[in-house]
Structure formats: C-alpha cells, structure tokens
Amino acid sequence: MCGIVGAISKRNITPILIEGLRRLEYRGYDSAGVAVLASGNGIKRTRAVGKVIELENALEKEPVHGHLGIAHTRWATHGKPAERNAHPHLSERLAIVHNGIIENHSALRKKLTDLGYTFTSETDTEVVAHLLAHHYKEKPNLLCAFRSTLRELHGAYALGVIHQGEPNTLYCARMGSPLVIGEASEEQFIASDPLALLQVTDQFIYLEEGDHARLTVESREIWNQRNESVEYPVLRYEHAAHSMDKGEYRHYMLKEIYEQPAAIANTLDGTLAEDHVLTAALGPEAETHLADIRNIHIVACGTSYHAGLVARYWIEEQAGLPCQVEVASEYRYRTVAVPPNTLLITISQSGETADTLAALRHAKQQGYLASLAICNVAGSSLVREADWRLLTKAGPEIGVASTKAFTTQLVALLWLTTALAQANHRAPEMISANVRALRGLPRLVEKVLHLDQHIEALAATFTNKQHALFLGRGPHYPIAMEGALKLKEISYIHAEAYAAGELKHGPLALVDENMPVVSVAPSDSLLEKLKSNLQEVSARGGQLINFVCERAELDNGDGITHLSMPWVYESVSPIVYTIPLQLLSYHVALVKGTDVDKPRNLAKSVTVE
Ligand code: G6P
C-alpha cells in the first residue's frame, strides 16, 4: 500500500518529505516520487524506481527547494513499478499523490480521453489529476474543483494536492485510506501515518471518512462529505518517545524481536492486580458488559488472524465461551449468523487494514452486542470506529514481518480471556495462575532470546531447501502457522503448517531427507500425541527440528535436532514458543540473502482490498 506525505511551511520542505518517505517505506517500496512548488519555477517533479534511496540519489543530482510539496512511496496496484507509474501525477498546473484504489478509473479515463487528456501512466491515480484539472478549467476555484472531483470518485483514496494557481495551499482528502494532519508552529503536514512526521511534530488531527481539508501555514479548514465545516481535537502521538532507527541492530525485524520483553511489559502495564486482572483497562462501558458476553467472533488478517486462532483455544477452554475466528476478507462478504450477546473482536497491528475495517463496518449491521478493537495504533480508523478498544503497546513496528505486534496481541488476548473468565466466575486458581504467568512473561521471553546463537546455527539446514513443514498441536498449531508464514514472508521458502495429527492425511507423502520439519513441542497435555507424529516423520527420513521443552523427553536419532526451551506455564506457552520461530526465519532469511525488512511484493499496511 502506498504512503503519502505533504508539507507546507516557511522553510524548505524537501528534506521533510524525504524523511517522511523513508519512514513510510514499509507501506510500499517499488518506486517513489516528490513534487515541490519551487519558488518562482512552478512544480518540479522527481521520481525514481526502487526504494526511497534512489529518489534521494536523483535529488542529490538535481536538488529542488520549495515551501509546498507532496511525496509518495508506491506499492503497485494498477501498472507495474516503473517511473511513468510512480506518483506524483501531474496534469496542467497541478500535482497529486494518492493511496487507495479508484474503482471507476476505466470510465473516468474514457471520459477524460474524450475530453482531450493524454495519459502517461497505467495508474488509476492519473484520472484524479486530469479530472481535477478539468474541473478547475471549468471553474478556477481549487476547493470547488476538488469537491467536484471527489464526488465523481468511487473506491478508496487518501489524496494530497498542490496547484500552481494556489501556491500557498495544500489540499487533502480521505475516504477508505488513512490520512492524518500534523500540526506545528507555522507549518502543517499530511501523511498516511503519523510515524512519517514524528521528526517534525507529535501533534495530529485524524481525518474521518469523507473529509477534505485546506491547509496553509497559518490556517486549517476541514470539511466533511457534506461540505460542512468540522473541527477535531489535536492529539499528541503516544509512541513519540520510541526510537525510530535501527540502533545497534542490523534490521528492524531483529530490533523488534528483541523489543518484545519491553513491549509485553508495556502492554500489561497497569492491567494486573495480585491475583486478578484489572478490567477497568477496557473502559467503563466494556467493563460493565463483560458478563453479558455469551459468544465471541474474531476477525483479522495475516499474522493478526493467527493471534485470533490461538485465542480461540484460550477463550473456549478458560472462559467457557464459544468462539469462532475468520479472515476478514471472507467475513466481510458473507452472511454471518450472530447469536445473541456476541462480541465482535477485530485484531490489527495497524488499525488500517482495508479488509479488517470493512469487516468491522459489515459487522455493525449484524446485531452484535458490541465491537472490540485490539490494536497497536491508538488513533487508527479501527480504534476510532470500534465500540471498545484494547491497545497493545508494542510501539511502532517497521519490519514488514510482524513480530512484537503479534506477541503483544497474544498478551492482550490472554489478558482478555482472563477478564472474561473472571466475569464468568471461572476457577480463581486458573485466573491467578494466568496473572502470575503474564507477569513473569517479559523475563521468560528475555531468557528465550538468549537462545539466538543456537537458533542461528540451525539456519544452515535451510540453505538449499525450497520447502518446509511446521507442526504443532492445540494452541501451538496456530503458532506453527505463524512460524511458517514468517519463513515464507522473509526467506521465500514455501512453508506449510499442519496440525500434527493431520500429517498422515496427506503431507506425510512430502516427507523425505529434503524436507525440514519444524515442530513446536512444549511439555503440555498433547506432548505424547505429538511424539507419535514426530516418529512418523523420522521413520520416513525427514529432517526434524524440534523446539522442545527442557522437561520433555523426545527421541534422539539421525536427522533429529532438538532446541531446548525453558519450561513455561501452559497458558503463556504459545507466546514463548513464537520467539524461536521468529529468530529461525530471521536467520534463514540472512542465509538466503533476502531483504529482511522489506520482502519482495509485500507491504506492511494493506490499505487496499
Ligand atoms: C500485512 C502485513 C502482515 C500483517 C497483515 C495484517 O499483510 O504484512 O504482517 O499481519 O497485513 O495487518 P494488521 O495491521 O491488520 O495487523
């Protein structure tokens, strides 16, 4: 998904735009561009294929200075990565950047071609530039022309616009894609994500769906879809204290893996009493209704979906409530049977994933008791649109492959399970054991991180491998799924996860000496069952890598490698066993020489469908 930045200031804004793009690169990195209204020289546009560094190199050769500008980092949807498709797109005397998808772009392209406009790209965005130029020609008032343009667009957009006819004004609008306004003294900014602007401000205004705005150095006007003037509070960005650079680490992913003890402690901060959880953390309304919840539906995408799958085991076993989990892209288009008093939970790191947001909006028509967003970004659309919220406090996650966001989601979900168990008067010993285990979790994760070197040594097993299987049982089956997803995402090795009991129903046919099989083997009630499944693999010459509890006794033998894990209380075990799988995929990616933080074809925040 693309990232946009814009700025209007009394100082030269080009370095601010470039730094913004660098910080937004996690959203897309196939090309980048900038358009600056250069004092007295009209709009100067520079674009480059590849990462933001390529754009920086181009600007070094031909620098541009100005006080008004927009910039973009692209994740291709319409038209392959090429300079002609990179934003900003120009038409006559204006430039625009866009994140989203204009669904009626074909019809608009035809209309504009008939009107005499020539297209230089295959993007859906270029129609917006020409449409705006067309309306401005009909009536040279940029606000009116912008509104007429927005009325004709179907689909999703966050837009930034500059025009030589109004050299002191920055326009923007959002519908279905995120956009914030950043405020500082005598300068204003726009961006897809506050992270892009933390170098210049921590004060943000979060636009609502359908809003558009006109910004100058000293004024800010915002209107809703009905063109009524609206005002929003300026909010301080909570993550501002977090360091945004890689520090001593080679990659953001590694830094974020190592930040997990602190991220977990922050997420739990102020939520645990000695032997119970403090449900006030959910807010007064949610707290009052906790005991009314009789069913739970969880909806999410990607890694967040895996967190939901683990939670289903916890919620059904510990809180005694039926729970179903679904990917948002399916849920949003189907008729759901919602029993009385069902809580909808959406889980998302970013809070801007298009399918998850659409699922929440779909759910609002389905008669749920309430909706709860578990999210890492306080000001995100998901958090603002849900009835209740439970924030993970992982801090900004930059690596495309989610790590600390996932473990903090699991922490929030185990905490919530405990809150529901409490509300349903379930066994107090179980509740206090969960609280103790949660409290001890940061230290335990720290301990597992010390296994890094041993895990690094295992990575060589994957050097020439094209495929891998991951096995787990119970709540560790979704952990195996997450381990396989991590490996796929960053090392491009085809990896599949199976509930270990399913092995003999098909995947066993794949097992030979070329197939590494990774198993998650905590010392739980399913260990004996898992052991039999692992023997099935050994007997067929499969190469087994077992992440195994120090108290469990697993067979040794040729082709079997054990990595000993500390004993952990059963509830938190899925969280702890996630860590070695993250480290394994990281080290395998290093061996394979892939781009760990920005794997090919992926984006961190998927704001299009
Ligand atoms: C993308 C990211 C994944 C993430 C998923 C859902 O695919 O690459 O890491 O799990 O989106 O994102 P969310 O922000 O909703 O958790």
Side-chain angles (χ1 to χ4, degrees), residues 76-110:
T77 54
H78 294 74
K80 63 179 188 188
E83 191 173 326
R84 66 177 183 287
N85 290 328
H87 301 214
H89 287 285
L90 305 182
S91 185
E92 292 166 4
R93 297 193 302 145
L94 63 85
I96 72 160
V97 284
H98 167 224
N99 168 32
I101 290 181
I102 306 300
E103 286 176 340
N104 57 337
H105 71 102
S106 302
L108 290 173
R109 184 178 269 255
K110 178 162 185 333

PDB file of all heavy atoms in Angstrom, residues 76-110:
ATOM      1  N   ALA A  76       2.699  -1.151  -6.067  1.00  0.00           N
ATOM      2  CA  ALA A  76       1.938  -1.161  -7.321  1.00  0.00           C
ATOM      3  C   ALA A  76       0.619  -1.910  -7.223  1.00  0.00           C
ATOM      4  O   ALA A  76       0.575  -3.027  -6.725  1.00  0.00           O
ATOM      5  CB  ALA A  76       2.793  -1.769  -8.416  1.00  0.00           C
ATOM      6  N   THR A  77      -0.450  -1.274  -7.684  1.00  0.00           N
ATOM      7  CA  THR A  77      -1.716  -1.992  -7.899  1.00  0.00           C
ATOM      8  C   THR A  77      -2.041  -1.940  -9.397  1.00  0.00           C
ATOM      9  O   THR A  77      -2.119  -2.954 -10.047  1.00  0.00           O
ATOM     10  CB  THR A  77      -2.884  -1.398  -7.077  1.00  0.00           C
ATOM     11  OG1 THR A  77      -2.984  -0.007  -7.351  1.00  0.00           O
ATOM     12  CG2 THR A  77      -2.705  -1.648  -5.610  1.00  0.00           C
ATOM     13  N   HIS A  78      -2.208  -0.736  -9.953  1.00  0.00           N
ATOM     14  CA  HIS A  78      -2.513  -0.605 -11.380  1.00  0.00           C
ATOM     15  C   HIS A  78      -1.262  -0.122 -12.102  1.00  0.00           C
ATOM     16  O   HIS A  78      -0.862   1.025 -11.931  1.00  0.00           O
ATOM     17  CB  HIS A  78      -3.644   0.400 -11.608  1.00  0.00           C
ATOM     18  CG  HIS A  78      -4.951  -0.048 -11.043  1.00  0.00           C
ATOM     19  ND1 HIS A  78      -5.205  -0.029  -9.695  1.00  0.00           N
ATOM     20  CD2 HIS A  78      -6.043  -0.553 -11.635  1.00  0.00           C
ATOM     21  CE1 HIS A  78      -6.423  -0.509  -9.493  1.00  0.00           C
ATOM     22  NE2 HIS A  78      -6.958  -0.819 -10.657  1.00  0.00           N
ATOM     23  N   GLY A  79      -0.682  -0.992 -12.910  1.00  0.00           N
ATOM     24  CA  GLY A  79       0.536  -0.598 -13.634  1.00  0.00           C
ATOM     25  C   GLY A  79       1.758  -1.052 -12.869  1.00  0.00           C
ATOM     26  O   GLY A  79       1.866  -0.861 -11.652  1.00  0.00           O
ATOM     27  N   LYS A  80       2.717  -1.673 -13.597  1.00  0.00           N
ATOM     28  CA  LYS A  80       3.887  -2.237 -12.918  1.00  0.00           C
ATOM     29  C   LYS A  80       4.812  -1.127 -12.384  1.00  0.00           C
ATOM     30  O   LYS A  80       4.689   0.027 -12.809  1.00  0.00           O
ATOM     31  CB  LYS A  80       4.628  -3.161 -13.871  1.00  0.00           C
ATOM     32  CG  LYS A  80       5.190  -2.477 -15.080  1.00  0.00           C
ATOM     33  CD  LYS A  80       5.919  -3.502 -15.906  1.00  0.00           C
ATOM     34  CE  LYS A  80       6.645  -2.752 -17.007  1.00  0.00           C
ATOM     35  NZ  LYS A  80       7.251  -3.555 -17.985  1.00  0.00           N
ATOM     36  N   PRO A  81       5.743  -1.515 -11.501  1.00  0.00           N
ATOM     37  CA  PRO A  81       6.667  -0.498 -10.985  1.00  0.00           C
ATOM     38  C   PRO A  81       7.514   0.083 -12.118  1.00  0.00           C
ATOM     39  O   PRO A  81       8.286  -0.625 -12.737  1.00  0.00           O
ATOM     40  CB  PRO A  81       7.543  -1.288 -10.004  1.00  0.00           C
ATOM     41  CG  PRO A  81       6.776  -2.526  -9.690  1.00  0.00           C
ATOM     42  CD  PRO A  81       5.941  -2.828 -10.882  1.00  0.00           C
ATOM     43  N   ALA A  82       7.321   1.328 -12.421  1.00  0.00           N
ATOM     44  CA  ALA A  82       8.066   2.000 -13.495  1.00  0.00           C
ATOM     45  C   ALA A  82       7.976   3.500 -13.207  1.00  0.00           C
ATOM     46  O   ALA A  82       7.027   3.941 -12.547  1.00  0.00           O
ATOM     47  CB  ALA A  82       7.443   1.710 -14.850  1.00  0.00           C
ATOM     48  N   GLU A  83       8.938   4.257 -13.722  1.00  0.00           N
ATOM     49  CA  GLU A  83       8.928   5.692 -13.407  1.00  0.00           C
ATOM     50  C   GLU A  83       7.632   6.354 -13.860  1.00  0.00           C
ATOM     51  O   GLU A  83       7.068   7.188 -13.174  1.00  0.00           O
ATOM     52  CB  GLU A  83      10.148   6.376 -14.033  1.00  0.00           C
ATOM     53  CG  GLU A  83      10.299   7.790 -13.492  1.00  0.00           C
ATOM     54  CD  GLU A  83      11.580   8.468 -13.928  1.00  0.00           C
ATOM     55  OE1 GLU A  83      12.595   7.772 -14.066  1.00  0.00           O
ATOM     56  OE2 GLU A  83      11.526   9.696 -14.120  1.00  0.00           O
ATOM     57  N   ARG A  84       7.139   5.935 -15.044  1.00  0.00           N
ATOM     58  CA  ARG A  84       5.927   6.595 -15.550  1.00  0.00           C
ATOM     59  C   ARG A  84       4.720   6.348 -14.629  1.00  0.00           C
ATOM     60  O   ARG A  84       3.767   7.118 -14.621  1.00  0.00           O
ATOM     61  CB  ARG A  84       5.610   6.119 -16.972  1.00  0.00           C
ATOM     62  CG  ARG A  84       5.234   4.675 -17.068  1.00  0.00           C
ATOM     63  CD  ARG A  84       4.862   4.240 -18.473  1.00  0.00           C
ATOM     64  NE  ARG A  84       4.436   2.851 -18.469  1.00  0.00           N
ATOM     65  CZ  ARG A  84       5.240   1.802 -18.329  1.00  0.00           C
ATOM     66  NH1 ARG A  84       6.534   1.984 -18.214  1.00  0.00           N
ATOM     67  NH2 ARG A  84       4.765   0.575 -18.313  1.00  0.00           N
ATOM     68  N   ASN A  85       4.750   5.242 -13.850  1.00  0.00           N
ATOM     69  CA  ASN A  85       3.617   4.946 -12.961  1.00  0.00           C
ATOM     70  C   ASN A  85       3.821   5.491 -11.544  1.00  0.00           C
ATOM     71  O   ASN A  85       2.906   5.427 -10.717  1.00  0.00           O
ATOM     72  CB  ASN A  85       3.387   3.431 -12.899  1.00  0.00           C
ATOM     73  CG  ASN A  85       2.840   2.900 -14.209  1.00  0.00           C
ATOM     74  OD1 ASN A  85       2.105   3.616 -14.899  1.00  0.00           O
ATOM     75  ND2 ASN A  85       3.203   1.683 -14.563  1.00  0.00           N
ATOM     76  N   ALA A  86       5.024   5.972 -11.275  1.00  0.00           N
ATOM     77  CA  ALA A  86       5.293   6.496  -9.920  1.00  0.00           C
ATOM     78  C   ALA A  86       4.548   7.824  -9.730  1.00  0.00           C
ATOM     79  O   ALA A  86       4.325   8.572 -10.675  1.00  0.00           O
ATOM     80  CB  ALA A  86       6.793   6.694  -9.737  1.00  0.00           C
ATOM     81  N   HIS A  87       4.138   8.084  -8.506  1.00  0.00           N
ATOM     82  CA  HIS A  87       3.494   9.358  -8.178  1.00  0.00           C
ATOM     83  C   HIS A  87       4.580  10.368  -7.828  1.00  0.00           C
ATOM     84  O   HIS A  87       5.683   9.946  -7.490  1.00  0.00           O
ATOM     85  CB  HIS A  87       2.584   9.206  -6.960  1.00  0.00           C
ATOM     86  CG  HIS A  87       1.500   8.183  -7.124  1.00  0.00           C
ATOM     87  ND1 HIS A  87       0.259   8.317  -6.569  1.00  0.00           N
ATOM     88  CD2 HIS A  87       1.470   6.989  -7.780  1.00  0.00           C
ATOM     89  CE1 HIS A  87      -0.489   7.253  -6.857  1.00  0.00           C
ATOM     90  NE2 HIS A  87       0.238   6.426  -7.582  1.00  0.00           N
ATOM     91  N   PRO A  88       4.333  11.634  -7.758  1.00  0.00           N
ATOM     92  CA  PRO A  88       3.092  12.350  -8.052  1.00  0.00           C
ATOM     93  C   PRO A  88       2.745  12.313  -9.543  1.00  0.00           C
ATOM     94  O   PRO A  88       3.625  12.206 -10.384  1.00  0.00           O
ATOM     95  CB  PRO A  88       3.398  13.785  -7.610  1.00  0.00           C
ATOM     96  CG  PRO A  88       4.534  13.671  -6.658  1.00  0.00           C
ATOM     97  CD  PRO A  88       5.320  12.485  -7.109  1.00  0.00           C
ATOM     98  N   HIS A  89       1.435  12.401  -9.798  1.00  0.00           N
ATOM     99  CA  HIS A  89       0.973  12.537 -11.185  1.00  0.00           C
ATOM    100  C   HIS A  89       0.597  13.995 -11.432  1.00  0.00           C
ATOM    101  O   HIS A  89       0.076  14.670 -10.540  1.00  0.00           O
ATOM    102  CB  HIS A  89      -0.199  11.598 -11.437  1.00  0.00           C
ATOM    103  CG  HIS A  89       0.261  10.176 -11.506  1.00  0.00           C
ATOM    104  ND1 HIS A  89       0.919   9.659 -12.592  1.00  0.00           N
ATOM    105  CD2 HIS A  89       0.226   9.187 -10.578  1.00  0.00           C
ATOM    106  CE1 HIS A  89       1.252   8.406 -12.368  1.00  0.00           C
ATOM    107  NE2 HIS A  89       0.847   8.092 -11.137  1.00  0.00           N
ATOM    108  N   LEU A  90       0.901  14.438 -12.638  1.00  0.00           N
ATOM    109  CA  LEU A  90       0.693  15.858 -12.973  1.00  0.00           C
ATOM    110  C   LEU A  90      -0.428  15.998 -13.992  1.00  0.00           C
ATOM    111  O   LEU A  90      -0.656  15.109 -14.809  1.00  0.00           O
ATOM    112  CB  LEU A  90       1.963  16.456 -13.602  1.00  0.00           C
ATOM    113  CG  LEU A  90       3.265  16.339 -12.818  1.00  0.00           C
ATOM    114  CD1 LEU A  90       4.387  17.029 -13.598  1.00  0.00           C
ATOM    115  CD2 LEU A  90       3.139  16.947 -11.431  1.00  0.00           C
ATOM    116  N   SER A  91      -1.089  17.116 -13.934  1.00  0.00           N
ATOM    117  CA  SER A  91      -1.997  17.497 -15.019  1.00  0.00           C
ATOM    118  C   SER A  91      -2.006  19.013 -15.038  1.00  0.00           C
ATOM    119  O   SER A  91      -2.256  19.648 -14.006  1.00  0.00           O
ATOM    120  CB  SER A  91      -3.401  16.952 -14.781  1.00  0.00           C
ATOM    121  OG  SER A  91      -4.198  17.252 -15.913  1.00  0.00           O
ATOM    122  N   GLU A  92      -1.717  19.556 -16.191  1.00  0.00           N
ATOM    123  CA  GLU A  92      -1.621  21.003 -16.320  1.00  0.00           C
ATOM    124  C   GLU A  92      -0.792  21.581 -15.173  1.00  0.00           C
ATOM    125  O   GLU A  92       0.330  21.182 -14.987  1.00  0.00           O
ATOM    126  CB  GLU A  92      -3.022  21.600 -16.468  1.00  0.00           C
ATOM    127  CG  GLU A  92      -3.561  21.149 -17.828  1.00  0.00           C
ATOM    128  CD  GLU A  92      -5.034  21.345 -18.068  1.00  0.00           C
ATOM    129  OE1 GLU A  92      -5.729  21.912 -17.231  1.00  0.00           O
ATOM    130  OE2 GLU A  92      -5.471  20.917 -19.152  1.00  0.00           O
ATOM    131  N   ARG A  93      -1.366  22.421 -14.319  1.00  0.00           N
ATOM    132  CA  ARG A  93      -0.500  23.082 -13.322  1.00  0.00           C
ATOM    133  C   ARG A  93      -0.623  22.468 -11.923  1.00  0.00           C
ATOM    134  O   ARG A  93      -0.354  23.127 -10.929  1.00  0.00           O
ATOM    135  CB  ARG A  93      -0.840  24.568 -13.304  1.00  0.00           C
ATOM    136  CG  ARG A  93      -0.524  25.237 -14.671  1.00  0.00           C
ATOM    137  CD  ARG A  93      -0.547  26.740 -14.568  1.00  0.00           C
ATOM    138  NE  ARG A  93      -1.814  27.226 -14.088  1.00  0.00           N
ATOM    139  CZ  ARG A  93      -1.981  28.290 -13.294  1.00  0.00           C
ATOM    140  NH1 ARG A  93      -0.918  28.966 -12.890  1.00  0.00           N
ATOM    141  NH2 ARG A  93      -3.182  28.683 -12.913  1.00  0.00           N
ATOM    142  N   LEU A  94      -1.067  21.213 -11.852  1.00  0.00           N
ATOM    143  CA  LEU A  94      -1.245  20.623 -10.522  1.00  0.00           C
ATOM    144  C   LEU A  94      -0.529  19.276 -10.414  1.00  0.00           C
ATOM    145  O   LEU A  94      -0.178  18.658 -11.410  1.00  0.00           O
ATOM    146  CB  LEU A  94      -2.736  20.455 -10.209  1.00  0.00           C
ATOM    147  CG  LEU A  94      -3.589  19.516 -11.065  1.00  0.00           C
ATOM    148  CD1 LEU A  94      -3.506  18.084 -10.575  1.00  0.00           C
ATOM    149  CD2 LEU A  94      -5.040  19.978 -11.029  1.00  0.00           C
ATOM    150  N   ALA A  95      -0.346  18.842  -9.170  1.00  0.00           N
ATOM    151  CA  ALA A  95       0.266  17.532  -8.899  1.00  0.00           C
ATOM    152  C   ALA A  95      -0.530  16.860  -7.782  1.00  0.00           C
ATOM    153  O   ALA A  95      -1.009  17.536  -6.857  1.00  0.00           O
ATOM    154  CB  ALA A  95       1.720  17.700  -8.458  1.00  0.00           C
ATOM    155  N   ILE A  96      -0.686  15.541  -7.901  1.00  0.00           N
ATOM    156  CA  ILE A  96      -1.370  14.827  -6.822  1.00  0.00           C
ATOM    157  C   ILE A  96      -0.622  13.546  -6.434  1.00  0.00           C
ATOM    158  O   ILE A  96       0.105  12.972  -7.244  1.00  0.00           O
ATOM    159  CB  ILE A  96      -2.831  14.453  -7.181  1.00  0.00           C
ATOM    160  CG1 ILE A  96      -2.859  13.329  -8.225  1.00  0.00           C
ATOM    161  CG2 ILE A  96      -3.659  15.618  -7.675  1.00  0.00           C
ATOM    162  CD1 ILE A  96      -4.198  12.643  -8.220  1.00  0.00           C
ATOM    163  N   VAL A  97      -0.819  13.128  -5.184  1.00  0.00           N
ATOM    164  CA  VAL A  97      -0.388  11.804  -4.725  1.00  0.00           C
ATOM    165  C   VAL A  97      -1.628  11.095  -4.181  1.00  0.00           C
ATOM    166  O   VAL A  97      -2.545  11.736  -3.659  1.00  0.00           O
ATOM    167  CB  VAL A  97       0.699  11.876  -3.626  1.00  0.00           C
ATOM    168  CG1 VAL A  97       2.040  12.228  -4.216  1.00  0.00           C
ATOM    169  CG2 VAL A  97       0.318  12.838  -2.505  1.00  0.00           C
ATOM    170  N   HIS A  98      -1.621   9.778  -4.281  1.00  0.00           N
ATOM    171  CA  HIS A  98      -2.828   9.007  -3.939  1.00  0.00           C
ATOM    172  C   HIS A  98      -2.443   7.672  -3.318  1.00  0.00           C
ATOM    173  O   HIS A  98      -1.526   7.009  -3.775  1.00  0.00           O
ATOM    174  CB  HIS A  98      -3.625   8.800  -5.249  1.00  0.00           C
ATOM    175  CG  HIS A  98      -4.724   7.785  -5.162  1.00  0.00           C
ATOM    176  ND1 HIS A  98      -4.945   6.836  -6.130  1.00  0.00           N
ATOM    177  CD2 HIS A  98      -5.687   7.571  -4.225  1.00  0.00           C
ATOM    178  CE1 HIS A  98      -5.980   6.083  -5.799  1.00  0.00           C
ATOM    179  NE2 HIS A  98      -6.448   6.501  -4.650  1.00  0.00           N
ATOM    180  N   ASN A  99      -3.159   7.288  -2.282  1.00  0.00           N
ATOM    181  CA  ASN A  99      -3.083   5.934  -1.747  1.00  0.00           C
ATOM    182  C   ASN A  99      -4.496   5.377  -1.763  1.00  0.00           C
ATOM    183  O   ASN A  99      -5.420   6.025  -1.283  1.00  0.00           O
ATOM    184  CB  ASN A  99      -2.549   5.971  -0.307  1.00  0.00           C
ATOM    185  CG  ASN A  99      -2.715   4.632   0.399  1.00  0.00           C
ATOM    186  OD1 ASN A  99      -2.648   3.587  -0.226  1.00  0.00           O
ATOM    187  ND2 ASN A  99      -2.936   4.670   1.704  1.00  0.00           N
ATOM    188  N   GLY A 100      -4.681   4.212  -2.355  1.00  0.00           N
ATOM    189  CA  GLY A 100      -6.010   3.609  -2.435  1.00  0.00           C
ATOM    190  C   GLY A 100      -6.252   3.079  -3.825  1.00  0.00           C
ATOM    191  O   GLY A 100      -5.313   2.884  -4.596  1.00  0.00           O
ATOM    192  N   ILE A 101      -7.502   2.833  -4.143  1.00  0.00           N
ATOM    193  CA  ILE A 101      -7.839   2.349  -5.486  1.00  0.00           C
ATOM    194  C   ILE A 101      -9.092   3.080  -5.970  1.00  0.00           C
ATOM    195  O   ILE A 101     -10.114   3.103  -5.265  1.00  0.00           O
ATOM    196  CB  ILE A 101      -8.113   0.822  -5.478  1.00  0.00           C
ATOM    197  CG1 ILE A 101      -6.793   0.071  -5.242  1.00  0.00           C
ATOM    198  CG2 ILE A 101      -8.733   0.363  -6.788  1.00  0.00           C
ATOM    199  CD1 ILE A 101      -6.919  -1.428  -5.228  1.00  0.00           C
ATOM    200  N   ILE A 102      -8.999   3.690  -7.144  1.00  0.00           N
ATOM    201  CA  ILE A 102     -10.172   4.339  -7.741  1.00  0.00           C
ATOM    202  C   ILE A 102     -10.868   3.280  -8.594  1.00  0.00           C
ATOM    203  O   ILE A 102     -10.367   2.876  -9.645  1.00  0.00           O
ATOM    204  CB  ILE A 102      -9.759   5.559  -8.615  1.00  0.00           C
ATOM    205  CG1 ILE A 102      -8.894   6.533  -7.803  1.00  0.00           C
ATOM    206  CG2 ILE A 102     -10.992   6.250  -9.193  1.00  0.00           C
ATOM    207  CD1 ILE A 102      -9.536   7.111  -6.565  1.00  0.00           C
ATOM    208  N   GLU A 103     -12.013   2.808  -8.108  1.00  0.00           N
ATOM    209  CA  GLU A 103     -12.647   1.660  -8.773  1.00  0.00           C
ATOM    210  C   GLU A 103     -13.235   2.016 -10.133  1.00  0.00           C
ATOM    211  O   GLU A 103     -13.305   1.170 -11.022  1.00  0.00           O
ATOM    212  CB  GLU A 103     -13.724   1.069  -7.854  1.00  0.00           C
ATOM    213  CG  GLU A 103     -13.079   0.296  -6.706  1.00  0.00           C
ATOM    214  CD  GLU A 103     -14.069  -0.237  -5.685  1.00  0.00           C
ATOM    215  OE1 GLU A 103     -15.205   0.288  -5.636  1.00  0.00           O
ATOM    216  OE2 GLU A 103     -13.691  -1.154  -4.947  1.00  0.00           O
ATOM    217  N   ASN A 104     -13.698   3.253 -10.307  1.00  0.00           N
ATOM    218  CA  ASN A 104     -14.304   3.632 -11.598  1.00  0.00           C
ATOM    219  C   ASN A 104     -13.276   4.316 -12.507  1.00  0.00           C
ATOM    220  O   ASN A 104     -13.633   5.168 -13.324  1.00  0.00           O
ATOM    221  CB  ASN A 104     -15.525   4.535 -11.380  1.00  0.00           C
ATOM    222  CG  ASN A 104     -15.213   5.795 -10.587  1.00  0.00           C
ATOM    223  OD1 ASN A 104     -14.224   5.828  -9.844  1.00  0.00           O
ATOM    224  ND2 ASN A 104     -16.011   6.832 -10.744  1.00  0.00           N
ATOM    225  N   HIS A 105     -12.004   3.944 -12.369  1.00  0.00           N
ATOM    226  CA  HIS A 105     -10.972   4.636 -13.144  1.00  0.00           C
ATOM    227  C   HIS A 105     -11.114   4.408 -14.648  1.00  0.00           C
ATOM    228  O   HIS A 105     -10.842   5.297 -15.434  1.00  0.00           O
ATOM    229  CB  HIS A 105      -9.562   4.245 -12.659  1.00  0.00           C
ATOM    230  CG  HIS A 105      -9.172   2.858 -13.000  1.00  0.00           C
ATOM    231  ND1 HIS A 105      -8.343   2.550 -14.034  1.00  0.00           N
ATOM    232  CD2 HIS A 105      -9.533   1.683 -12.451  1.00  0.00           C
ATOM    233  CE1 HIS A 105      -8.190   1.235 -14.092  1.00  0.00           C
ATOM    234  NE2 HIS A 105      -8.895   0.696 -13.147  1.00  0.00           N
ATOM    235  N   SER A 106     -11.628   3.233 -15.061  1.00  0.00           N
ATOM    236  CA  SER A 106     -11.753   2.975 -16.509  1.00  0.00           C
ATOM    237  C   SER A 106     -12.754   3.943 -17.130  1.00  0.00           C
ATOM    238  O   SER A 106     -12.473   4.554 -18.172  1.00  0.00           O
ATOM    239  CB  SER A 106     -12.216   1.548 -16.780  1.00  0.00           C
ATOM    240  OG  SER A 106     -11.321   0.673 -16.209  1.00  0.00           O
ATOM    241  N   ALA A 107     -13.913   4.097 -16.485  1.00  0.00           N
ATOM    242  CA  ALA A 107     -14.939   5.001 -17.027  1.00  0.00           C
ATOM    243  C   ALA A 107     -14.410   6.442 -17.034  1.00  0.00           C
ATOM    244  O   ALA A 107     -14.597   7.181 -18.017  1.00  0.00           O
ATOM    245  CB  ALA A 107     -16.198   4.904 -16.178  1.00  0.00           C
ATOM    246  N   LEU A 108     -13.722   6.830 -15.967  1.00  0.00           N
ATOM    247  CA  LEU A 108     -13.196   8.201 -15.905  1.00  0.00           C
ATOM    248  C   LEU A 108     -12.105   8.414 -16.956  1.00  0.00           C
ATOM    249  O   LEU A 108     -12.008   9.477 -17.575  1.00  0.00           O
ATOM    250  CB  LEU A 108     -12.639   8.489 -14.504  1.00  0.00           C
ATOM    251  CG  LEU A 108     -13.692   8.604 -13.400  1.00  0.00           C
ATOM    252  CD1 LEU A 108     -13.026   8.710 -12.027  1.00  0.00           C
ATOM    253  CD2 LEU A 108     -14.592   9.832 -13.620  1.00  0.00           C
ATOM    254  N   ARG A 109     -11.283   7.399 -17.158  1.00  0.00           N
ATOM    255  CA  ARG A 109     -10.210   7.504 -18.147  1.00  0.00           C
ATOM    256  C   ARG A 109     -10.810   7.737 -19.543  1.00  0.00           C
ATOM    257  O   ARG A 109     -10.342   8.568 -20.309  1.00  0.00           O
ATOM    258  CB  ARG A 109      -9.383   6.203 -18.127  1.00  0.00           C
ATOM    259  CG  ARG A 109      -8.175   6.217 -19.031  1.00  0.00           C
ATOM    260  CD  ARG A 109      -7.419   4.908 -18.881  1.00  0.00           C
ATOM    261  NE  ARG A 109      -6.390   4.987 -17.858  1.00  0.00           N
ATOM    262  CZ  ARG A 109      -5.079   5.083 -18.111  1.00  0.00           C
ATOM    263  NH1 ARG A 109      -4.649   5.105 -19.337  1.00  0.00           N
ATOM    264  NH2 ARG A 109      -4.207   5.153 -17.139  1.00  0.00           N
ATOM    265  N   LYS A 110     -11.890   7.021 -19.838  1.00  0.00           N
ATOM    266  CA  LYS A 110     -12.527   7.167 -21.146  1.00  0.00           C
ATOM    267  C   LYS A 110     -13.078   8.593 -21.293  1.00  0.00           C
ATOM    268  O   LYS A 110     -12.831   9.278 -22.295  1.00  0.00           O
ATOM    269  CB  LYS A 110     -13.645   6.124 -21.282  1.00  0.00           C
ATOM    270  CG  LYS A 110     -14.364   6.252 -22.592  1.00  0.00           C
ATOM    271  CD  LYS A 110     -15.159   5.062 -22.999  1.00  0.00           C
ATOM    272  CE  LYS A 110     -15.752   5.254 -24.411  1.00  0.00           C
ATOM    273  NZ  LYS A 110     -15.991   6.636 -24.825  1.00  0.00           N
TER     274      LYS A 110
END
